[in-house]
């Protein structure tokens, strides 16, 4: 059995610097040298293996097995979810019903800024609440392209919007996991997290407006952004503190969408320019859109509209049914958990790592639910079986490079986690004493950026946050919640999600460009969350801690 070492080079500082090399190289290759994501991920993986074997003394076989388990996790469930989500879109596009969906959103509002908020934030939050694991980014990206956004902008909007709902995504799985690994009460953790992430919900729709149409968009469409974010934040806070934690994002998403629809009955955004008769006007100077309104070209029958929305209604219904406790328990009985062959790892305290256990939840899995929804889509859209099979094949081909990226990134994450590189970085940040409250969200951000999952980040650093809090005289509850709240901000720059977003809109290989687009948003949100958590650790905002 391999026993992790916290400071293999003697000093924690030098050990942390070496441990961070694979990630530093990965992000520099993506953001500076614009290397394709799959190649950058493979380079990062190779470097993590070298660090694990040479610096940490991890046996070569164990290091390679760690990478294999991570790659397997990337294949299932990560890619299984994304392939089936995009398959549904491919079938709606092939049948012509995605155009009906686009025109339906145009009838709700012919303003692309409002459409972007409803689709990326409200509908995306609902998908995150039910599925998570990349499905919101995959589905919302292609829906935004369908309403007239350029592919790179559509993927950027979908990634930025996929923040505030993440802490309670996948039926609150991140918070529930955090409670398990820390031993803290779930209601208290939910309440504390619900006093941090709603602040993001207030800001994110405003940022989306700026990304869509700059300062002009903010001047003209801020009421829609404020109503959407404000209603979501209030509903999320109330559910997280006083309701069923599993329903937090579901309620918040539905409330925000309803609030915007009610607003549109009494208010319309002022157009920047005269609306065109159809389509989208050309871009203005500097690539900024000069027209933000679209117009439906034809009138669809009620039957066409129902069929266009039917696949996504099926997704929501199936996920809702799967979340029912009795059904969820029954599905969980089909899950098989086993130790990954040849992988025996213990942490610095001598306890075996649960990460070496591979969970094969072939039926109780978001990807399987999406696959069933896809099967239902075939008769709902009156597609031939041959067309559905062809669409699935096209989806697999489209995602081939994204699949390699996802598998390589998760292989890198598992090598870093198993060898102890991640723990070294966490301990280095935890050594900041009282200032750890300022750095605490960075741990969650870092964990999600590497793994693409707030749930995985909480699994990695939840217990570490509590231990560091006790050593620094801080609230364990506050630091644990900060891990999850900070983690939601790492999702948009995770190579896994960048690959999903780029591939969904046909930009595989352009992940570096997408990374630079979303990095600015992450750079704004992360310091804001760090300052909030720090103030909550002081008398200024300590009244917010349960």
């Amino acid at each position: 059995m391999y026993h992790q070492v916290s400071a293999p080079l003697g000093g924690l500082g030098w050990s942390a610097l070496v441990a961070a090399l694979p990630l530093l190289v990965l992000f520099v290759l993506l953001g500076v040298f614009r290397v394709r994501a799959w190649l950058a991920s493979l380079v990062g993986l190779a470097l993590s293996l070298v660090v694990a074997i040479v610096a940490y003394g991890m046996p070569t076989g164990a290091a390679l097995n760690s990478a294999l388990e991570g790659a397997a996790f990337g294949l299932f469930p990560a890619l299984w979810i994304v392939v089936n989500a995009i398959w549904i879109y491919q079938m709606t596009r092939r049948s012509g019903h995605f155009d009906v969906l686009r025109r339906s959103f145009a009838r709700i509002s012919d303003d692309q800024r409002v459409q972007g908020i409803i689709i990326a934030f409200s509908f995306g939050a609902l998908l995150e609440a039910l599925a998570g694991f990349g499905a919101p980014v995959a589905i919302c990206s292609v829906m935004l392209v369908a309403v007239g956004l350029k592919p790179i902008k559509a993927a950027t909007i979908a990634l930025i919007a996929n923040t505030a709902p993440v802490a309670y995504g996948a039926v609150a799985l991140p918070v529930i996991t955090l409670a398990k690994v820390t031993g803290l009460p779930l209601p208290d953790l939910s309440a504390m997290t619900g006093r941090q992430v709603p602040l993001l919900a207030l800001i994110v729709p405003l940022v989306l407006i700026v990304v869509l149409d700059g300062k002009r968009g903010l001047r003209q469409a801020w009421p829609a952004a404020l109503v959407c974010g404000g209603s979501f934040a209030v509903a999320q806070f109330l559910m997280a503190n006083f309701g069923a934690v599993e329903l937090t994002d579901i309620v918040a998403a539905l409330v925000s969408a309803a609030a915007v629809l009610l607003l549109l009955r009494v208010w319309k955004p002022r157009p920047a320019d005269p609306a065109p008769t159809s389509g989208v006007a050309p871009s203005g100077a500097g690539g900024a859109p000069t027209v933000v309104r679209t117009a439906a070209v034809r009138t669809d029958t009620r039957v066409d509209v129902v069929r266009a929305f039917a696949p996504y209604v099926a997704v929501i219904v199936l996920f809702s049914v799967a979340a029912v406790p009795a059904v969820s328990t029954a599905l969980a009985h089909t899950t098989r958990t086993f130790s990954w062959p040849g992988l025996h790892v213990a942490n610095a305290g001598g306890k075996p790592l649960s990460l070496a256990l591979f969970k094969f939840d072939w039926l109780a899995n978001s990807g399987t639910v999406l696959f069933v929804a896809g099967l239902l889509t075939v008769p709902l859209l009156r597609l031939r079986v041959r067309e559905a099979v062809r669409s699935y094949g096209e989806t697999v081909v489209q995602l081939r490079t994204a699949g390699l990226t996802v598998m390589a990134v998760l292989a890198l994450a598992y090598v870093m986690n198993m060898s102890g590189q991640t723990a070294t970085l966490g301990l280095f940040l935890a050594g900041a004493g009282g200032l750890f409250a300022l750095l605490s969200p960075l741990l969650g951000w870092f964990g999600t950026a590497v793994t693409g999952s707030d749930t995985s980040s909480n699994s990695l650093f939840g217990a570490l946050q509590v231990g560091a809090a006790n050593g620094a005289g801080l609230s364990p509850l506050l630091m644990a919640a900060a891990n999850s709240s900070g983690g939601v901000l790492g999702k948009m720059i995770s190579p896994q999600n960048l690959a999903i977003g780029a591939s969904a809109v046909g930009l595989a290989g352009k992940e570096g460009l997408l990374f630079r687009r979303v990095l600015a948003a992450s750079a704004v949100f992360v310091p804001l969350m760090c300052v909030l958590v720090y103030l909550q650790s002081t008398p200024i905002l300590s009244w917010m801690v349960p």
Side-chain angles (χ1 to χ4, degrees), residues 6-78:
S6 300
L9 301 183
L12 188 59
W14 286 110
S15 299
L17 179 61
V18 172
L21 280 178
L23 291 178
L24 292 174
V25 170
L26 171 62
F27 287 125
V28 168
L29 289 176
L30 279 176
V32 179
F33 295 101
R34 305 183 183 183
V35 175
R36 290 179 177 270
W38 65 268
L39 181 58
S41 301
L42 288 176
V43 172
L45 170 60
L47 189 54
S48 71
L49 286 169
V50 171
V51 171
I53 296 169
V54 176
Y56 280 77
M58 191 177 193
T60 303
L64 293 176
N65 277 319
S66 299
L68 286 176
E69 186 186 3
F73 184 80
L75 185 64
F76 185 94

Side-chain angles (χ1 to χ4, degrees), residues 78-79 82 86 133-135 137-138 141 399 402 406 495-505 511:
L79 283 174
V82 179
I86 298 180
F133 294 97
V137 173
S141 294
L399 291 174
V406 171
Q496 172 186 326
N497 287 302
L498 290 172
I500 290 170
S503 297
V505 294
E511 293 84 0

Side-chain angles (χ1 to χ4, degrees), residues 7 29 47 52 102 114 129 182 195 223 231 260 348 356 368 410 462 482-483 534 545:
L29 289 176
L47 189 54
R102 173 181 57 80
V114 177
T182 61
R195 301 176 192 190
S231 58
V260 175
T368 303
L410 283 167
N483 193 84
Y534 176 73
V545 180

Side-chain angles (χ1 to χ4, degrees), residues 509-525:
K510 299 293 182 66
E511 293 84 0
L513 175 60
L514 191 56
F515 171 71
R516 291 191 296 276
R517 293 290 186 94
V518 300
L519 185 60
S522 185
V524 170
F525 292 141

